[in-house]
Amino acid sequence: MKIVAHTMVYQGGYIESHICLRNYSVSDYDEYKRIYEECFHDMRAALQLVPVDCCDSKEELERKKDKIYVLEMNGKLIGSVAIYDNEIDGLVVEKSFQRTGYGETLLRFAVSRLQNNNISPIVLHVADWNQGAIKMYLKNGFSIVSTEVVK
């Protein structure tokens, strides 16, 4: 199976985000892993990627914890986004909260954080299979700058 992947670059204006997120903690692992794998399972299965469930190990996430930000509601983890150098990655939202604006909230947080640190270009990568995410990214100032076939 061939995978079409897009590189997207932020070309919108300045974003101010006042949302308060905290860094990932090892105590988040079970819930984070569940949400992460739930978000990517259907896509990875459809694209025949192995393993289908692909969350990093507890130890790997512990090493990355200062780059992973979690969104909570009433003490429950409902989403997360990672920022690695100038790249936004691993944006996930609990299934029951999807399509309610939390993905955009996480995206805007990440863009704002990068802008406030004078980091550019701001990039992300997305599989063409994930049309919902692509539409959200386009709506929020990202443009597709390159497309490649992987595998």
Side-chain angles (χ1 to χ4, degrees):
M1 161 122 346
K2 293 183 180 180
I3 301 167
V4 176
H6 305 291
T7 298
M8 301 184 80
V9 173
Y10 183 71
Q11 298 178 332
Y14 178 75
I15 291 181
E16 247 185 87
S17 173
H18 300 290
I19 185 108
C20 209
L21 302 183
R22 67 169 175 81
N23 286 100
Y24 168 87
S25 167
V26 71
S27 63
D28 296 318
Y29 183 73
D30 291 336
E31 195 63 4
Y32 177 90
K33 181 180 188 306
R34 183 189 67 75
I35 293 168
Y36 187 93
E37 290 181 348
E38 187 177 73
C39 285
F40 289 107
H41 181 87
D42 291 347
M43 178 184 71
R44 290 183 62 84
L47 296 174
Q48 300 173 351
L49 296 173
V50 177
V52 171
D53 294 325
C54 62
C55 185
D56 285 337
S57 69
K58 192 179 280 190
E59 295 75 24
E60 184 61 26
L61 289 174
E62 177 70 14
R63 283 191 287 279
K64 298 176 181 180
K65 69 182 178 184
D66 61 330
K67 298 176 186 312
I68 301 171
Y69 302 89
V70 298
L71 174 63
E72 293 177 306
M73 181 185 296
N74 300 321
K76 178 178 168 29
L77 195 148
I78 63 165
S80 180
V81 65
I83 303 171
Y84 303 111
D85 299 319
N86 68 326
E87 182 179 351
I88 298 171
D89 192 28
L91 194 158
V92 296
V93 175
E94 157 78 41
K95 286 261 190 206
S96 63
F97 290 96
Q98 288 179 1
R99 292 172 183 46
T100 60
Y102 290 108
E104 285 187 42
T105 297
L106 288 164
L107 181 65
R108 293 174 62 80
F109 166 84
V111 169
S112 176
R113 187 163 187 90
L114 289 163
Q115 287 177 330
N116 288 333
N117 288 301
N118 296 313
I119 297 172
S120 76
I122 299 170
V123 301
L124 57 81
H125 300 91
V126 60
D128 189 68
W129 186 92
N130 197 349
Q131 286 294 306
I134 291 170
K135 287 176 186 168
M136 180 187 69
Y137 298 145
L138 291 169
K139 178 180 150 194
N140 283 279
F142 282 82
S143 297
I144 296 172
V145 295
S146 67
T147 299
E148 63 181 310
V149 177
V150 185
K151 227 179 182 187

